[in-house]
Amino acid sequence: MFLTIVEGTAPAALAKLLPPNAVFVGGGNEQSLFDALWAMISAGTRLVANAVTLETEALLLSEQNKHGGELMRIELAQAAPLGNMRGWVPSRPLVQWSVVR
């Protein structure tokens, strides 16, 4: 198994690739990307996509309603000074959709 990094604009940059075993989408999600991915992946392929915006979160919810899989919300916080003590400073939550075709 190997990792292929492709530079370009999706979904057009995907056209020349062989069908993958797994796909990880970090951001910039659009419906056209998911349509292209769903058309090119075969049974047993894992697709994992992440979202930090409300719009992309809504897109992942829509895709999960169509294709199944799991939605997970991940929230992180980092300790930082708060007066003479420390407190938690939250990062933006991440929504992750994971599905196997």
Side-chain angles (χ1 to χ4, degrees):
M1 197 180 306
F2 60 93
L3 173 68
T4 301
I5 298 173
V6 177
E7 290 188 42
T9 302
L14 304 174
K16 299 175 187 172
L17 298 176
L18 296 173
N21 296 320
V23 178
F24 299 92
V25 181
N29 301 322
E30 294 182 0
Q31 186 63 56
S32 61
L33 173 61
F34 288 112
D35 292 343
L37 287 171
W38 207 254
M40 78 181 291
I41 63 174
S42 57
T45 301
R46 177 169 298 280
L47 172 62
V48 179
N50 299 300
V52 294
T53 66
L54 294 173
E55 292 80 7
T56 308
E57 185 175 334
L59 177 58
L60 294 187
L61 177 61
S62 173
E63 289 298 298
Q64 192 259 348
N65 283 331
K66 285 190 273 186
H67 302 292
E70 298 179 1
L71 285 173
M72 180 186 318
R73 185 171 178 166
I74 303 163
E75 298 188 50
L76 301 172
Q78 194 170 24
L82 182 61
N84 62 351
M85 298 183 182
R86 294 184 302 156
W88 293 108
V89 177
S91 298
R92 291 188 174 158
L94 171 80
V95 174
Q96 184 176 78
W97 174 49
S98 178
V99 64
V100 175
R101 180 170 184 152

XYZ file of all heavy atoms in Angstrom:
757
model
N 0.840 -1.164 0.000
C 0.000 0.000 0.000
C 0.892 1.238 0.000
O 1.959 1.244 0.606
C -0.897 -0.011 1.247
C -2.063 0.919 1.113
S -3.186 0.975 2.549
C -3.619 -0.715 2.777
N 0.478 2.295 -0.661
C 1.269 3.507 -0.716
C 0.349 4.720 -0.709
O -0.846 4.619 -0.934
C 2.181 3.516 -1.944
C 1.436 3.431 -3.248
C 1.074 4.580 -3.936
C 1.082 2.209 -3.790
C 0.389 4.513 -5.127
C 0.393 2.129 -4.988
C 0.039 3.286 -5.657
N 0.948 5.843 -0.467
C 0.235 7.118 -0.396
C 0.580 7.928 -1.638
O 1.749 8.055 -1.991
C 0.663 7.885 0.867
C 0.134 9.301 1.023
C -1.363 9.286 1.266
C 0.845 9.978 2.184
N -0.440 8.467 -2.285
C -0.227 9.314 -3.450
C -0.752 10.703 -3.138
O -1.919 10.849 -2.759
C -0.977 8.764 -4.684
O -0.512 7.444 -4.946
C -0.740 9.645 -5.899
N 0.105 11.692 -3.254
C -0.300 13.077 -3.053
C -0.484 13.697 -4.419
O 0.403 13.634 -5.271
C 0.749 13.852 -2.238
C 0.884 13.213 -0.849
C 0.363 15.327 -2.139
C 2.005 13.771 -0.020
N -1.646 14.274 -4.635
C -1.983 14.850 -5.930
C -2.240 16.332 -5.744
O -3.067 16.722 -4.922
C -3.238 14.177 -6.521
C -3.618 14.826 -7.835
C -3.006 12.690 -6.685
N -1.514 17.143 -6.492
C -1.761 18.582 -6.456
C -2.690 18.938 -7.603
O -2.531 18.443 -8.714
C -0.449 19.348 -6.583
C 0.424 19.212 -5.350
C 1.621 20.119 -5.406
O 1.487 21.278 -5.818
O 2.703 19.652 -5.027
N -3.658 19.781 -7.307
C -4.619 20.189 -8.319
C -5.934 20.533 -7.662
O -6.054 20.529 -6.444
N -6.898 20.810 -8.490
C -8.221 21.159 -8.000
C -9.142 19.959 -8.161
O -9.271 19.408 -9.254
C -8.784 22.366 -8.781
O -7.873 23.450 -8.645
C -10.130 22.781 -8.248
N -9.746 19.558 -7.064
C -10.692 18.444 -7.104
C -12.045 18.970 -7.562
O -12.373 20.109 -7.283
C -10.791 17.812 -5.726
N -12.825 18.213 -8.270
C -12.605 16.808 -8.570
C -11.803 16.548 -9.840
O -11.464 15.410 -10.131
C -14.017 16.249 -8.701
C -14.837 17.385 -9.184
C -14.207 18.625 -8.588
N -11.467 17.575 -10.616
C -10.757 17.367 -11.887
C -9.437 16.627 -11.700
O -9.073 15.775 -12.518
C -10.520 18.708 -12.571
N -8.698 16.899 -10.634
C -7.396 16.274 -10.406
C -7.508 14.774 -10.134
O -6.526 14.047 -10.231
C -6.686 16.963 -9.248
N -8.700 14.308 -9.811
C -8.892 12.887 -9.509
C -9.063 12.032 -10.749
O -8.923 10.816 -10.699
C -10.137 12.715 -8.624
C -10.158 13.507 -7.319
C -11.497 13.338 -6.632
C -9.025 13.074 -6.419
N -9.345 12.655 -11.896
C -9.713 11.928 -13.102
C -8.642 10.951 -13.576
O -8.965 9.911 -14.148
C -10.053 12.913 -14.213
N -7.376 11.243 -13.354
C -6.286 10.410 -13.866
C -5.828 9.334 -12.877
O -4.916 8.572 -13.177
C -5.094 11.289 -14.237
C -5.409 12.298 -15.306
C -4.232 13.220 -15.536
C -4.632 14.332 -16.482
N -3.606 15.351 -16.595
N -6.439 9.276 -11.718
C -5.992 8.346 -10.684
C -6.691 6.998 -10.780
O -7.828 6.899 -11.226
C -6.267 8.941 -9.299
C -5.564 10.242 -8.968
C -6.024 10.744 -7.610
C -4.063 10.050 -8.977
N -5.991 5.964 -10.327
C -6.614 4.657 -10.179
C -7.572 4.710 -8.999
O -7.388 5.510 -8.072
C -5.545 3.603 -9.922
C -4.545 3.367 -11.052
C -3.456 2.415 -10.594
C -5.260 2.824 -12.281
N -8.577 3.840 -8.963
C -9.482 3.826 -7.809
C -8.700 3.574 -6.516
O -7.888 2.656 -6.450
C -10.435 2.675 -8.120
C -10.399 2.557 -9.613
C -8.985 2.899 -9.996
N -8.933 4.375 -5.490
C -8.175 4.252 -4.238
C -8.757 3.197 -3.292
O -9.899 2.768 -3.450
C -8.320 5.643 -3.628
C -9.674 6.088 -4.096
C -9.828 5.529 -5.487
N -7.959 2.815 -2.297
C -8.426 1.951 -1.213
C -9.039 2.768 -0.087
O -9.859 2.269 0.674
C -7.271 1.130 -0.642
C -6.710 0.177 -1.651
O -7.436 -0.438 -2.403
N -5.396 0.067 -1.700
N -8.581 4.018 0.042
C -9.087 4.920 1.073
C -8.916 6.348 0.585
O -7.986 6.653 -0.159
C -8.335 4.719 2.387
N -9.825 7.217 1.011
C -9.778 8.632 0.639
C -9.959 9.454 1.908
O -10.884 9.201 2.681
C -10.902 8.993 -0.363
C -10.871 10.468 -0.690
C -10.792 8.150 -1.619
N -9.082 10.437 2.109
C -9.173 11.343 3.243
C -9.282 12.757 2.698
O -8.407 13.213 1.967
C -7.943 11.203 4.147
C -7.805 9.820 4.713
C -7.059 8.864 4.064
C -8.459 9.481 5.886
C -6.938 7.576 4.561
C -8.356 8.195 6.402
C -7.600 7.242 5.734
N -10.359 13.442 3.051
C -10.618 14.795 2.567
C -10.493 15.740 3.759
O -11.223 15.606 4.738
C -12.026 14.912 1.946
C -12.266 16.312 1.422
C -12.206 13.881 0.839
N -9.561 16.692 3.659
C -9.283 17.574 4.781
C -10.132 18.821 4.833
O -10.428 19.337 5.894
N -10.544 19.331 3.714
C -11.320 20.567 3.705
C -11.674 20.962 2.291
O -11.328 20.268 1.332
N -12.361 22.067 2.162
C -12.774 22.534 0.846
C -13.811 21.635 0.210
O -13.879 21.506 -1.009
N -14.607 20.993 1.040
C -15.587 20.040 0.540
C -16.716 20.728 -0.221
O -17.231 21.746 0.207
C -16.184 19.246 1.700
C -15.131 18.498 2.484
O -14.194 17.975 1.921
N -15.279 18.463 3.788
N -17.080 20.143 -1.346
C -18.213 20.602 -2.138
C -18.968 19.378 -2.623
O -18.397 18.290 -2.727
C -17.740 21.419 -3.340
C -17.084 22.727 -2.952
C -16.673 23.543 -4.174
O -16.900 23.096 -5.316
O -16.118 24.628 -3.956
N -20.230 19.552 -2.966
C -21.039 18.436 -3.435
C -20.409 17.766 -4.651
O -20.406 16.540 -4.764
C -22.459 18.911 -3.763
C -23.406 17.767 -4.115
C -23.608 16.809 -2.961
O -24.011 17.213 -1.887
N -23.315 15.527 -3.179
N -19.843 18.558 -5.569
C -19.235 17.978 -6.777
C -18.087 17.038 -6.431
O -17.878 16.028 -7.110
C -18.765 19.080 -7.723
O -17.786 19.886 -7.096
N -17.345 17.334 -5.375
C -16.258 16.455 -4.952
C -16.809 15.118 -4.481
O -16.329 14.060 -4.880
C -15.429 17.109 -3.843
C -14.356 16.225 -3.202
C -13.335 15.774 -4.236
C -13.688 16.948 -2.058
N -17.836 15.151 -3.638
C -18.401 13.896 -3.137
C -19.060 13.092 -4.247
O -18.976 11.867 -4.267
C -19.365 14.161 -1.983
C -18.651 14.575 -0.733
C -18.785 15.850 -0.239
C -17.812 13.696 -0.069
C -18.112 16.247 0.902
C -17.131 14.081 1.071
C -17.286 15.361 1.559
N -19.704 13.768 -5.193
C -20.293 13.065 -6.331
C -19.210 12.340 -7.119
O -19.370 11.175 -7.492
C -21.050 14.038 -7.236
C -22.290 14.618 -6.583
O -22.767 14.057 -5.569
O -22.787 15.652 -7.082
N -18.089 13.013 -7.381
C -16.987 12.411 -8.132
C -16.351 11.268 -7.343
O -16.055 10.204 -7.905
C -15.938 13.463 -8.473
N -16.137 11.464 -6.048
C -15.537 10.412 -5.232
C -16.427 9.185 -5.171
O -15.959 8.057 -5.314
C -15.244 10.920 -3.816
C -14.080 11.890 -3.678
C -14.042 12.475 -2.277
C -12.769 11.193 -4.013
N -17.713 9.392 -4.957
C -18.631 8.266 -4.824
C -18.691 7.476 -6.132
O -18.842 6.250 -6.118
C -20.008 8.747 -4.387
C -20.725 7.684 -3.639
C -21.773 6.939 -4.104
C -20.463 7.206 -2.320
N -22.163 6.031 -3.145
C -21.379 6.171 -2.045
C -19.534 7.541 -1.353
C -21.395 5.474 -0.836
C -19.554 6.855 -0.146
C -20.470 5.848 0.098
N -18.535 8.168 -7.268
C -18.550 7.489 -8.563
C -17.276 6.688 -8.806
O -17.309 5.681 -9.528
C -18.744 8.511 -9.683
N -16.150 7.098 -8.224
C -14.884 6.431 -8.521
C -14.470 5.374 -7.505
O -13.668 4.507 -7.822
C -13.752 7.451 -8.693
C -13.191 8.029 -7.417
S -11.869 9.239 -7.661
C -10.540 8.254 -8.263
N -15.008 5.410 -6.292
C -14.574 4.431 -5.292
C -15.391 3.151 -5.417
O -16.572 3.175 -5.743
C -14.620 4.991 -3.851
C -16.027 5.355 -3.403
C -13.680 6.181 -3.704
C -16.149 5.779 -1.958
N -14.724 2.048 -5.159
C -15.391 0.755 -5.263
C -15.816 0.266 -3.883
O -15.457 0.857 -2.854
C -14.454 -0.248 -5.939
O -13.249 -0.351 -5.214
N -16.544 -0.824 -3.869
C -17.011 -1.414 -2.613
C -15.818 -1.706 -1.713
O -14.785 -2.183 -2.176
C -17.797 -2.684 -2.887
N -15.950 -1.395 -0.447
C -14.888 -1.633 0.525
C -13.943 -0.465 0.724
O -13.073 -0.517 1.587
N -14.109 0.597 -0.069
C -13.243 1.774 0.062
C -13.722 2.645 1.213
O -14.905 2.940 1.331
C -13.248 2.604 -1.241
O -12.802 1.780 -2.313
C -12.358 3.821 -1.118
N -12.789 3.066 2.062
C -13.117 3.962 3.178
C -12.974 5.405 2.721
O -11.999 5.776 2.088
C -12.197 3.711 4.367
C -12.463 4.692 5.534
C -11.764 4.301 6.803
N -12.204 3.025 7.311
C -13.326 2.828 8.011
N -14.131 3.823 8.261
N -13.641 1.624 8.455
N -13.959 6.213 3.079
C -13.949 7.649 2.808
C -14.087 8.371 4.138
O -14.999 8.081 4.920
C -15.109 8.020 1.879
C -15.372 9.502 1.634
C -14.170 10.169 0.972
C -16.609 9.676 0.773
N -13.161 9.275 4.415
C -13.194 10.069 5.641
C -13.082 11.535 5.240
O -12.159 11.917 4.510
C -12.022 9.700 6.594
C -12.065 10.559 7.854
C -12.060 8.215 6.946
N -14.031 12.350 5.699
C -14.026 13.776 5.368
C -14.201 14.589 6.643
O -14.920 14.187 7.555
C -15.149 14.094 4.381
N -13.545 15.741 6.678
C -13.574 16.617 7.844
C -14.188 17.963 7.500
O -14.054 18.436 6.379
C -12.153 16.835 8.367
C -11.522 15.538 8.799
O -12.012 14.863 9.667
N -10.434 15.165 8.156
N -14.825 18.584 8.492
C -15.446 19.891 8.302
C -15.255 20.739 9.545
O -15.323 20.228 10.665
C -16.945 19.729 8.028
N -15.036 22.038 9.339
C -15.001 22.980 10.458
C -16.017 24.104 10.280
O -16.271 24.841 11.218
C -13.591 23.584 10.689
C -12.612 22.516 11.123
C -13.090 24.315 9.479
N -16.602 24.228 9.083
C -17.609 25.269 8.868
C -19.007 24.668 8.958
O -19.198 23.463 8.728
C -17.451 25.951 7.490
O -17.730 24.992 6.470
C -16.057 26.533 7.325
N -19.977 25.491 9.266
C -21.364 25.029 9.335
C -21.847 24.522 7.982
O -22.578 23.533 7.897
C -22.274 26.163 9.819
C -22.036 26.633 11.254
C -22.884 27.863 11.551
C -22.325 25.519 12.242
N -21.413 25.187 6.917
C -21.838 24.784 5.575
C -21.306 23.396 5.210
O -22.032 22.550 4.684
C -21.376 25.824 4.536
C -22.077 27.153 4.651
C -21.534 28.066 5.769
O -20.503 27.732 6.388
O -22.159 29.109 6.011
N -20.047 23.158 5.526
C -19.469 21.851 5.227
C -20.019 20.792 6.166
O -20.235 19.648 5.775
C -17.935 21.908 5.304
O -17.469 22.980 4.486
C -17.315 20.626 4.813
N -20.297 21.158 7.393
C -20.919 20.227 8.328
C -22.283 19.794 7.796
O -22.632 18.611 7.846
C -21.068 20.889 9.701
C -21.600 19.979 10.770
C -21.633 20.629 12.144
O -20.851 21.555 12.412
O -22.462 20.187 12.958
N -23.059 20.733 7.250
C -24.364 20.409 6.667
C -24.199 19.474 5.471
O -25.000 18.549 5.273
C -25.089 21.685 6.262
N -23.155 19.690 4.673
C -22.883 18.824 3.532
C -22.558 17.406 3.998
O -23.060 16.423 3.442
C -21.745 19.395 2.695
C -21.295 18.577 1.494
C -22.429 18.330 0.512
C -20.122 19.274 0.808
N -21.734 17.283 5.032
C -21.401 15.959 5.556
C -22.632 15.260 6.119
O -22.801 14.052 5.947
C -20.313 16.045 6.623
C -18.934 16.515 6.162
C -17.925 16.376 7.305
C -18.461 15.785 4.930
N -23.507 15.998 6.773
C -24.752 15.426 7.286
C -25.610 14.904 6.137
O -26.165 13.805 6.203
C -25.521 16.466 8.103
C -26.878 16.018 8.640
C -26.744 14.835 9.576
C -27.559 17.180 9.338
N -25.689 15.675 5.060
C -26.451 15.256 3.887
C -25.871 13.987 3.275
O -26.601 13.050 2.933
C -26.463 16.387 2.855
O -27.055 15.964 1.657
N -24.544 13.936 3.152
C -23.889 12.753 2.589
C -24.078 11.543 3.503
O -24.286 10.424 3.027
C -22.402 13.026 2.360
C -22.127 13.981 1.214
C -22.613 13.435 -0.121
O -22.110 12.382 -0.565
O -23.505 14.055 -0.724
N -24.028 11.764 4.800
C -24.226 10.668 5.742
C -25.663 10.142 5.661
O -25.898 8.941 5.750
C -23.890 11.128 7.168
C -23.779 10.003 8.162
C -25.008 9.841 9.035
O -25.890 10.683 9.078
N -25.061 8.751 9.747
N -26.619 11.032 5.447
C -28.010 10.601 5.283
C -28.182 9.757 4.031
O -28.984 8.825 4.011
C -28.952 11.809 5.231
C -29.201 12.396 6.597
O -29.154 11.705 7.608
N -29.464 13.682 6.641
N -27.431 10.059 2.967
C -27.537 9.317 1.710
C -26.784 7.989 1.739
O -27.262 6.992 1.212
C -26.977 10.149 0.540
C -27.875 11.263 0.087
C -27.366 11.864 -1.212
C -26.364 12.951 -0.902
N -25.917 13.694 -2.097
N -25.589 7.992 2.327
C -24.689 6.850 2.188
C -24.401 6.106 3.485
O -23.698 5.099 3.453
C -23.356 7.311 1.585
C -23.505 7.981 0.261
N -23.910 7.325 -0.877
C -23.316 9.271 -0.111
C -23.950 8.169 -1.896
N -23.596 9.359 -1.452
N -24.894 6.612 4.606
C -24.620 5.957 5.879
C -23.285 6.388 6.452
O -22.769 7.452 6.128
N -22.723 5.550 7.273
C -21.460 5.873 7.923
C -21.688 6.529 9.264
O -22.810 6.554 9.788
N -20.625 7.052 9.817
C -20.667 7.644 11.158
C -20.235 9.097 11.130
O -19.313 9.461 10.393
C -19.735 6.874 12.102
C -20.125 5.430 12.296
C -19.162 4.700 13.220
O -18.200 5.319 13.714
O -19.387 3.504 13.449
N -20.900 9.899 11.926
C -20.493 11.285 12.153
C -19.908 11.384 13.553
O -20.455 10.817 14.504
C -21.676 12.239 12.042
C -22.186 12.541 10.641
C -23.469 13.362 10.725
C -21.148 13.285 9.832
N -18.805 12.092 13.674
C -18.165 12.294 14.970
C -17.803 13.774 15.098
O -17.336 14.389 14.134
C -16.885 11.451 15.064
C -16.168 11.603 16.375
S -14.557 10.745 16.445
C -14.871 9.205 15.658
N -18.037 14.335 16.257
C -17.615 15.709 16.524
C -16.448 15.655 17.500
O -16.555 15.062 18.578
C -18.759 16.525 17.110
C -18.389 17.975 17.289
C -19.602 18.772 17.666
N -19.204 20.151 17.878
C -20.044 21.140 17.960
N -21.335 20.915 17.841
N -19.624 22.363 18.156
N -15.364 16.290 17.106
C -14.137 16.263 17.894
C -13.859 17.683 18.371
O -13.813 18.609 17.561
C -12.956 15.756 17.044
C -13.278 14.375 16.474
C -11.669 15.742 17.848
C -12.390 13.954 15.329
N -13.688 17.843 19.670
C -13.404 19.165 20.224
C -12.119 19.090 21.032
O -11.935 18.185 21.833
C -14.574 19.636 21.085
C -15.848 19.782 20.270
C -16.977 20.429 21.031
O -16.738 21.497 21.634
O -18.078 19.879 21.019
N -11.253 20.048 20.797
C -9.973 20.117 21.491
C -9.844 21.459 22.195
O -10.394 22.465 21.743
C -8.818 19.964 20.501
C -8.773 18.676 19.694
C -7.696 18.765 18.633
C -8.521 17.494 20.612
N -9.094 21.468 23.263
C -8.791 22.707 23.972
C -7.346 22.639 24.438
O -6.801 21.560 24.674
C -9.734 22.890 25.154
N -6.748 23.803 24.544
C -5.344 23.890 24.931
C -5.237 24.703 26.217
O -5.903 25.744 26.370
C -4.583 24.571 23.804
C -3.109 24.438 23.890
C -2.472 24.942 22.594
O -3.032 25.738 21.868
N -1.267 24.470 22.332
N -4.413 24.248 27.137
C -4.208 24.990 28.375
C -3.444 26.277 28.070
O -2.478 26.273 27.303
C -3.421 24.146 29.376
N -3.914 27.377 28.668
C -3.276 28.679 28.442
C -3.397 29.512 29.722
O -4.281 29.266 30.553
C -3.943 29.393 27.272
N -2.513 30.499 29.882
C -2.579 31.340 31.075
C -3.934 32.043 31.211
O -4.524 32.478 30.225
C -1.472 32.365 30.841
C -0.542 31.732 29.871
C -1.410 30.876 28.997
N -4.401 32.109 32.447
C -5.632 32.817 32.790
C -5.379 33.477 34.145
O -5.513 32.843 35.185
C -6.818 31.850 32.848
C -8.187 32.446 33.149
C -8.573 33.463 32.074
C -9.231 31.355 33.234
N -4.932 34.730 34.084
C -4.495 35.387 35.315
C -3.246 34.698 35.816
O -2.311 34.430 35.063
N -3.231 34.342 37.108
C -2.070 33.636 37.642
C -2.284 32.118 37.652
O -1.534 31.380 38.254
C -1.711 34.146 39.040
C -2.833 33.905 40.036
O -3.920 33.509 39.666
N -2.551 34.156 41.299
N -3.326 31.672 36.959
C -3.611 30.232 36.827
C -3.673 29.884 35.345
O -3.186 30.622 34.507
C -4.926 29.913 37.538
C -4.888 30.187 39.021
S -6.449 29.699 39.740
C -6.173 30.183 41.419
N -4.278 28.748 35.049
C -4.453 28.341 33.657
C -5.887 27.906 33.429
O -6.572 27.445 34.335
C -3.524 27.180 33.292
C -2.061 27.569 33.333
C -1.145 26.462 32.894
N -1.336 25.270 33.740
C -1.034 24.035 33.352
N -0.540 23.814 32.157
N -1.212 23.020 34.155
N -6.321 28.055 32.190
C -7.654 27.608 31.805
C -7.607 27.025 30.404
O -6.582 27.069 29.725
N -8.732 26.484 29.981
C -8.809 25.862 28.666
C -9.269 26.865 27.620
O -10.258 27.565 27.806
C -9.774 24.676 28.686
C -9.276 23.552 29.533
C -9.765 23.162 30.740
C -8.182 22.677 29.248
N -9.046 22.101 31.226
C -8.067 21.778 30.320
C -7.290 22.567 28.193
C -7.103 20.776 30.368
C -6.326 21.575 28.230
C -6.239 20.690 29.304
N -8.555 26.918 26.502
C -8.927 27.742 25.351
C -9.364 26.781 24.245
O -8.544 26.015 23.725
C -7.748 28.621 24.876
C -8.144 29.413 23.645
C -7.284 29.536 25.991
N -10.650 26.791 23.900
C -11.131 25.821 22.915
C -10.722 26.178 21.489
O -10.602 27.342 21.128
C -12.648 25.886 23.071
C -12.918 27.250 23.604
C -11.723 27.613 24.440
N -10.496 25.135 20.702
C -10.302 25.277 19.264
C -11.654 25.089 18.592
O -12.620 24.686 19.243
C -9.343 24.205 18.747
O -8.083 24.352 19.333
N -11.722 25.365 17.313
C -12.970 25.110 16.594
C -13.222 23.614 16.556
O -12.314 22.825 16.309
C -12.876 25.658 15.177
C -12.844 27.140 15.161
C -12.940 27.670 13.770
N -13.057 29.117 13.867
C -12.752 29.946 12.906
N -12.325 29.496 11.751
N -12.885 31.237 13.082
N -14.467 23.206 16.772
C -14.760 21.777 16.704
C -14.654 21.272 15.269
O -14.865 22.016 14.317
C -16.195 21.665 17.220
C -16.769 23.026 17.089
C -15.634 23.992 17.148
N -14.322 20.021 15.135
C -14.181 19.364 13.848
C -15.263 18.302 13.757
O -15.466 17.538 14.705
C -12.803 18.706 13.757
C -12.562 17.788 12.576
C -12.227 18.630 11.351
C -11.445 16.825 12.878
N -15.970 18.255 12.636
C -16.938 17.190 12.390
C -16.324 16.268 11.359
O -15.822 16.716 10.329
C -18.289 17.753 11.897
C -19.225 16.628 11.505
C -18.922 18.612 12.978
N -16.342 14.974 11.655
C -15.738 13.999 10.762
C -16.785 12.967 10.351
O -17.507 12.430 11.193
C -14.579 13.286 11.458
C -13.838 12.328 10.562
C -12.648 11.736 11.281
O -12.816 10.834 12.096
N -11.477 12.247 10.982
N -16.855 12.713 9.048
C -17.736 11.680 8.504
C -16.857 10.552 7.994
O -15.894 10.797 7.260
C -18.578 12.245 7.377
C -19.420 11.247 6.636
C -20.251 10.306 7.181
C -19.514 11.079 5.216
N -20.859 9.565 6.204
C -20.424 10.020 4.980
C -18.922 11.708 4.143
C -20.752 9.600 3.703
C -19.253 11.286 2.867
C -20.169 10.239 2.652
N -17.163 9.339 8.389
C -16.409 8.171 7.968
C -17.389 7.124 7.460
O -18.378 6.816 8.135
C -15.608 7.618 9.155
O -14.916 6.456 8.789
N -17.122 6.605 6.261
C -18.020 5.613 5.680
C -17.206 4.637 4.846
O -16.146 4.994 4.313
C -19.092 6.313 4.789
C -18.485 7.013 3.607
C -20.185 5.351 4.347
N -17.662 3.406 4.763
C -17.083 2.426 3.866
C -18.147 2.090 2.850
O -19.274 1.743 3.201
C -16.641 1.146 4.621
C -16.148 0.085 3.637
C -15.573 1.467 5.636
N -17.789 2.228 1.584
C -18.775 1.966 0.522
C -19.103 0.508 0.464
O -18.341 -0.361 0.585
C -18.235 2.442 -0.820
C -19.256 2.161 -1.895
C -18.908 2.797 -3.175
N -20.007 2.525 -4.049
C -20.359 3.289 -5.055
N -19.680 4.356 -5.305
N -21.354 2.984 -5.800
